[in-house]
Amino acid sequence: MTLTLALLQQAVADTTGAYGHFPGIGGRGAVWIAAEVHLMFAAFVLGVPMFAVITELIGIVAKDSKYDKLSHEFTRLLVFAYSATALWGAMLLFALTTLYPKFWAHMTRIFSVSMWIYVSLFFVESFTLYLYYYGWERWQFGRGKWFHWGLGVLLNVWGTTVMLIANGWLTYMMSPPTGATAEGLPKGVTMWNAIANATWIPINIHRLIANAVFGGAIVAAYAAYRFLAAKTPEERAHYDWMGYVGNFIAISTFIVLPFAGYWLGREIYQYNQQMGITMMGGFMSWLWIVQAVLIGVLFLCANYYLWLGMARIPGAERFVPYTKWMLLLLIVCWIAWSTPHTMIATRDELVSMGGAHHPFLNVLGVMSAKNTAVNLMILTTFLSFLIYRRANKESVVPWARTGTLIQGAMFVIAAAVVLFYGVYGYFVEAIVRIGFSVYQVGAVLMCILGVSIIDAFIGRGARSRGEIRWGQMPERSQYALFVLAVTFTWLMGLMGFARSGIRQHWHVWEVMRDTSPDAFTPALGYAANMISLCVLIFLSLVAFIFWLGGLAERASHAVAPEPHGVAIPPGIAVARPGAAPVTGD
Amino acid sequence: MWKTNLKVLAIALLVVGFYTTVAHIIPQLQSEVPEALALGSGVTPEALVAAGEKIYNGAGGCTACHGLGTRAPNLITDYKGQGAVGARCGTRKPGMACKAYLYESLTQPQAYIVQGFDPIMPDMRKQLSDDQIWAAVAFLESQGGEVDVTGEDIAKSAPAKGAAPAPTGPAMTATLDPVALYSEKGCIGCHQMDGKGGAVGPSWDHIGSRRSAASIRKKIIDPKSDTTKGFEKFAGMMPATFGQMLTAAQLEALVTFLANKK
């Protein structure tokens, strides 16, 4: 009894002065909002520069000014978004120091040097951005252009390094090195060991790809808004094309994201089985059903946008009849993926189900069915991209028919491999079944790679069946881009909750306990409220930034007005009502 | 333009609202913090069972694996016709009573692995205090068996005032007997020797003819350094903590013993 009292007194002592109070939403709520909105902006300012430099490079190599204009437009959004990122970062820092002083003292004890480097890099990054944006006109030609492009590359290097450092801190909280205690690191374990912990590299890879996805989705939403607000056919054409590029980048990078997520999950299991089980089969298991709903929406909207886009491509009519079958396949796969399986159940629920699993849904809900479903959805989406790409092209190479047949065979083989291992998975042990996902993923990746290579050669010197009528896109297609952007943002919030929530009542897993009144990990309903609040704050601020971007553009037009609205970028066909499309030279 | 703005706003609110609704209609599970207990020497079995039930169904996280029938044996329902855990725990390990077996399962889970399952059970001393562990034992005993946990068990296993905190891994002893280490450190859970042990890792019989002493030492300290042919599907299962759990003398005793098993 004396010992228990002593332990309780110790717990009280641990908690005293360890936590601050925030009115209304509590300390955890305040940190949650500050961290999540900061992270959303950070993802945006890291994702957008990635393809700003890629599109600028395409513009330089292809000598096509429309790419340069696109890159410049991306960068204009960045200038405003950087301030918002820094602002929310400062709010997060103040929230942590005032609301979680003891935990933050622990983090600063271990990571202080990296925090100084982090701040210095933020300065360097900001100044590189200013040089990159404001030097656009000055370094527009010759060697100056390459120097300018180099600045863009440097901007990405600084941004990525900043992310790697911050990732070191947050992954330390999930997978601290052996021997770490609430007092700090043991002798012989350095700050570098704490940064380069078990989940650091997979998180880095996952976030890098996710940032590109997120940046693409937000840029596509920006383009969609400008498309809807456009007053001239030229403007509509430009923003239609910009929306397509943003969406293409978002979806093509998104397709590889599940593989990075799979690797991260594996590393979490390797580090600590209990944490892995909490994530996939413990109290968080229902989270993956919500995730499946979101990803299903993403796949459906991305395909819907492409199918609508085919209406503006001469020659696409021949592919339209297939879309209804693709839609059916996507919906069936979505249903399989969203089926609950190994969920925590109470004794009463077990009794009413007649066992640990639902008698019918059990068949659909297992990983074999889910892996099969998601791989088929990826293949279907890739097929949509392929037919969109080939819609207005007529190949002139003599082996075009053979090449197309080989491509078709690749799709069939990949789908057969996915289905075979999906069915075979029902007849083997769980530990063997887990390994099958590697074969399924491998088959899909090989198909994507092989088909893309063949397609690049088939398309060489292809005859055009007619120019794409950019701008001639139904308005509902642009709303699909909004749904994509909102869904990606919500998904980011949900996955952030999953990553952070699996630590449960630990600030640092099995090193430093959370002894605050908010130490419990909330249910998904509460988490969803917080995620939605963060998403709405972020989207409102992004809308404000877009509006500012429009103001800045109008101001520059007022100084040097263009006689006929926006110049037609070379290579873009513009659809004018009642007239034949005209093309920018 | 205002019409467009309103449409965009409506789309955003509709999408956010849809996802929020989905998250609200599914079961609302909350992860609780293990409640600090104040169980004295006079604690009744009923109080222990009640506290243990809360831990089992809540903060202990036990239901994530036990009860699904795939990751770990069912505990509160029948398992292969042997009854619930309270009815079968006394027969799992010959000579070991139910209470001792359950306590060992929670604190040294690798010491005995039920056939057909992987060694994924964590050492609960990292998550729960000693009285919480004993409460869980009492609850498990109550599932088809008789509760014999008392306040004395808690007092005996709790660390003395001022003593070093409980170790976070399996107990460290000074024994240099490799056969004792085989059981004590949980090797028996995965490696067979003389007809005993699990089959998750390669058998220790004749291991000396397959590996040199240096190779065995390296494998114990750094299990990821290589994977034995035929055991690829279990790659990564072997804990990387044996380098810290064994003293240098224990490690060398074990390596010499295994290298001589030709």
Side-chain angles (χ1 to χ4, degrees):
Chain A
M1 191 71 178
T2 318
L3 177 74
T4 308
L5 272 177
L7 287 172
L8 286 174
Q9 280 167 355
Q10 184 57 47
V12 171
D14 286 347
T15 308
T16 308
Y19 303 101
H21 172 70
F22 194 88
I25 52 173
R28 176 171 65 184
V31 168
W32 191 329
I33 293 170
E36 190 59 62
V37 180
H38 170 62
L39 192 89
M40 285 167 179
F41 272 110
F44 181 64
V45 300
L46 284 173
V48 173
M50 279 184 211
F51 51 86
V53 289
I54 293 170
T55 45
E56 189 183 9
L57 181 67
I58 295 171
I60 297 170
V61 174
K63 295 187 172 50
D64 193 338
S65 66
K66 74 173 185 286
Y67 287 99
D68 195 65
K69 183 175 182 289
L70 184 68
S71 180
H72 193 198
E73 202 159 355
F74 290 159
T75 313
R76 187 173 59 229
L77 301 178
L78 276 180
V79 177
F80 302 106
Y82 257 83
S83 313
T85 313
L87 202 74
W88 281 92
M91 281 165 68
L92 173 61
L93 178 65
F94 291 132
L96 284 169
T97 47
T98 54
L99 300 171
Y100 288 86
K102 198 166 177 178
F103 159 69
W104 193 240
H106 171 83
M107 295 296 279
T108 51
R109 235 185 342 261
I110 294 171
F111 293 107
S112 55
V113 177
S114 68
M115 288 172 176
W116 305 332
I117 299 170
Y118 181 86
V119 172
S120 312
L121 279 173
F122 209 78
F123 263 104
V124 177
E125 189 188 5
S126 303
F127 283 106
T128 308
L129 172 69
Y130 295 142
L131 267 178
Y132 185 59
Y133 178 65
Y134 291 107
W136 211 284
E137 309 295 330
R138 185 183 170 90
W139 296 302
Q140 207 172 11
F141 305 104
R143 280 186 192 168
K145 188 64 185 166
W146 283 108
F147 169 73
H148 183 262
W149 182 73
L151 284 175
V153 173
L154 215 52
L155 183 62
N156 276 282
V157 171
W158 302 139
T160 306
T161 314
V162 163
M163 182 194 75
L164 298 185
I165 295 173
N167 285 354
W169 306 337
L170 73 94
T171 51
Y172 163 80
M173 291 164 68
M174 289 167 73
S175 50
T178 312
T181 65
E183 279 66 49
L185 299 175
K187 221 174 178 182
V189 179
T190 62
M191 181 187 77
W192 172 246
N193 298 133
I195 288 177
N197 58 71
T199 53
W200 186 56
I201 293 289
I203 281 265
N204 289 337
I205 303 292
H206 193 268
R207 280 197 158 175
L208 210 61
I209 300 169
N211 289 344
V213 176
F214 188 61
I218 296 292
V219 165
Y222 167 76
Y225 183 76
R226 298 297 300 263
F227 176 93
L228 294 171
K231 292 197 168 43
T232 65
E234 289 82 4
E235 260 189 288
R236 280 170 72 92
H238 176 71
Y239 288 111
D240 183 12
W241 176 71
M242 186 176 179
Y244 166 73
V245 173
N247 182 55
F248 175 78
I249 289 167
I251 299 301
S252 53
T253 42
F254 174 65
I255 281 174
V256 294
L257 201 54
F259 310 134
Y262 180 75
W263 179 28
L264 174 60
R266 254 188 101 93
E267 286 298 326
I268 291 173
Y269 265 95
Q270 296 257 325
Y271 178 78
N272 189 293
Q273 286 273 352
Q274 194 189 2
M275 201 194 283
I277 289 167
T278 300
M279 177 174 72
M280 298 306 296
F283 90 101
M284 281 218 160
S285 48
W286 279 100
L287 181 142
W288 304 101
I289 298 303
V290 181
Q291 190 215 31
V293 171
L294 266 85
I295 295 182
V297 171
L298 287 176
F299 274 115
L300 282 174
C301 283
N303 281 280
Y304 179 65
Y305 175 80
L306 287 173
W307 297 336
L308 283 178
M310 280 161 63
R312 54 164 147 67
I313 307 177
E317 313 80 47
R318 64 192 195 279
F319 295 120
V320 171
Y322 302 114
T323 54
K324 60 177 176 291
W325 299 111
M326 292 161 83
L327 177 65
L328 183 71
L329 185 63
L330 284 173
I331 290 174
V332 169
C333 289
W334 188 22
I335 290 169
W337 197 7
S338 318
T339 305
H341 181 58
T342 314
M343 300 298 160
I344 285 189
T346 63
R347 199 199 307 238
D348 293 343
E349 285 165 340
L350 289 174
V351 169
S352 69
M353 280 196 292
H357 303 110
H358 190 277
F360 171 66
L361 296 179
N362 175 34
V363 184
L364 279 180
V366 290
M367 282 316 289
S368 279
K370 285 172 190 276
N371 282 340
T372 306
V374 70
N375 280 298
L376 290 179
M377 284 172 100
I378 291 173
L379 274 179
T380 309
T381 307
F382 177 60
L383 184 62
S384 281
F385 263 120
L386 198 72
I387 58 178
Y388 180 96
R389 213 179 103 81
R390 289 178 74 159
N392 69 334
K393 290 194 180 90
E394 203 175 330
S395 181
V396 291
V397 293
W399 52 274
R401 189 174 156 70
T402 316
T404 306
L405 282 174
I406 294 172
Q407 284 179 311
M410 283 177 165
F411 269 104
V412 171
I413 291 168
V417 169
V418 168
L419 282 169
F420 171 75
Y421 280 108
V423 175
Y424 188 31
Y426 284 93
F427 301 99
V428 294
E429 293 283 315
I431 192 102
V432 180
R433 189 186 311 138
I434 290 165
F436 285 174
S437 59
V438 177
Y439 306 132
Q440 291 178 310
V441 164
V444 171
L445 280 180
M446 290 302 288
C447 170
I448 292 174
L449 196 71
V451 169
S452 301
I453 291 170
I454 293 175
D455 213 55
F457 286 101
I458 282 186
R460 275 194 170 176
R463 264 195 302 271
S464 172
R465 290 170 182 260
E467 287 290 337
I468 299 175
R469 296 183 291 268
W470 292 107
Q472 209 172 74
M473 190 74 162
E475 286 198 351
R476 60 184 187 277
S477 65
Q478 306 304 302
Y479 292 112
L481 293 181
F482 285 122
V483 175
L484 282 171
V486 176
T487 305
F488 274 124
T489 315
W490 213 92
L491 186 59
M492 187 185 273
L494 183 72
M495 292 297 98
F497 171 63
R499 186 194 49 70
S500 180
I502 56 172
R503 282 185 282 112
Q504 297 174 283
H505 54 279
W506 296 93
H507 288 312
V508 181
W509 179 254
E510 291 183 344
V511 168
M512 191 178 197
R513 270 180 199 274
D514 184 346
T515 53
S516 72
D518 291 330
F520 68 94
T521 314
L524 264 171
Y526 175 84
N529 294 345
M530 293 300 287
I531 294 165
S532 294
L533 183 63
C534 293
V535 168
L536 291 175
I537 292 172
F538 172 72
L539 291 178
S540 310
L541 289 170
V542 164
F544 179 64
I545 287 168
F546 286 177
W547 179 71
L548 282 180
L551 275 188
E553 190 182 66
R554 274 200 287 277
S556 65
H557 282 183
V559 175
E562 291 191 39
H564 304 292
V566 177
I568 307 170
I572 289 189
V574 180
R576 286 177 189 279
V582 292
T583 313
D585 57 9
Chain B
M1 196 56 216
W2 276 110
K3 210 173 150 191
T4 305
N5 286 339
L6 283 175
K7 272 190 194 169
V8 172
L9 182 68
I11 288 278
L13 289 176
L14 212 68
V15 175
V16 167
F18 171 63
Y19 297 143
T20 312
T21 308
V22 171
H24 274 274
I25 57 175
I26 60 174
Q28 299 297 303
L29 302 169
Q30 186 167 286
S31 167
E32 299 291 351
V33 183
E35 207 174 286
L37 299 177
L39 306 173
S41 55
V43 65
T44 62
E46 290 77 21
L48 276 165
V49 170
E53 185 170 11
K54 275 175 89 172
I55 288 165
Y56 183 86
N57 289 312
C62 316
T63 48
C65 297
H66 295 287
L68 298 169
T70 48
R71 294 192 193 114
N74 292 337
L75 296 179
I76 56 175
T77 52
D78 175 57
Y79 176 72
K80 290 188 176 174
Q82 299 163 12
V85 66
R88 64 180 191 256
C89 52
T91 57
R92 272 276 186 244
K93 278 177 89 172
M96 194 177 243
C98 174
K99 183 167 71 175
Y101 169 74
L102 289 174
Y103 185 76
E104 184 189 76
S105 301
L106 285 158
T107 55
Q108 294 182 57
Q110 310 302 324
Y112 180 81
I113 310 288
V114 177
Q115 206 172 7
F117 293 97
D118 295 328
I120 60 170
M121 170 86 183
D123 175 355
M124 294 310 291
R125 281 175 295 183
K126 290 184 177 181
Q127 298 281 338
L128 304 173
S129 66
D130 228 50
D131 46 1
Q132 287 168 329
I133 290 174
W134 279 115
V137 170
F139 169 68
L140 294 175
E141 280 188 326
S142 75
Q143 302 301 304
E146 202 173 306
V147 181
D148 59 353
V149 179
T150 63
E152 261 179 50
D153 292 314
I154 301 171
K156 258 192 252 169
S157 60
K161 207 176 175 184
T168 52
M172 289 280 243
T173 64
T175 181
L176 294 178
D177 174 9
V179 180
L181 287 170
Y182 173 64
S183 298
E184 185 188 299
K185 302 299 175 190
C187 318
I188 191 171
C190 299
H191 300 280
Q192 277 195 359
M193 187 167 73
D194 302 330
K196 280 193 289 183
V200 175
S203 164
W204 276 10
D205 295 328
H206 312 294
I207 191 170
S209 59
R210 302 192 302 272
R211 280 182 184 271
S212 66
S215 163
I216 293 168
R217 189 181 297 108
K218 190 175 178 194
K219 181 70 185 167
I220 294 173
I221 297 169
D222 179 15
K224 281 186 182 169
S225 57
D226 71 274
T227 303
T228 306
K229 208 173 166 195
F231 290 86
E232 290 84 357
K233 66 183 181 184
F234 298 114
M237 281 285 189
M238 172 136 165
T241 48
F242 287 109
Q244 284 87 50
M245 283 162 51
L246 298 164
T247 64
Q250 285 173 328
L251 177 67
E252 284 317 305
L254 200 55
V255 168
T256 310
F257 170 72
L258 293 173
N260 287 328
K261 281 187 81 66
K262 301 282 185 189

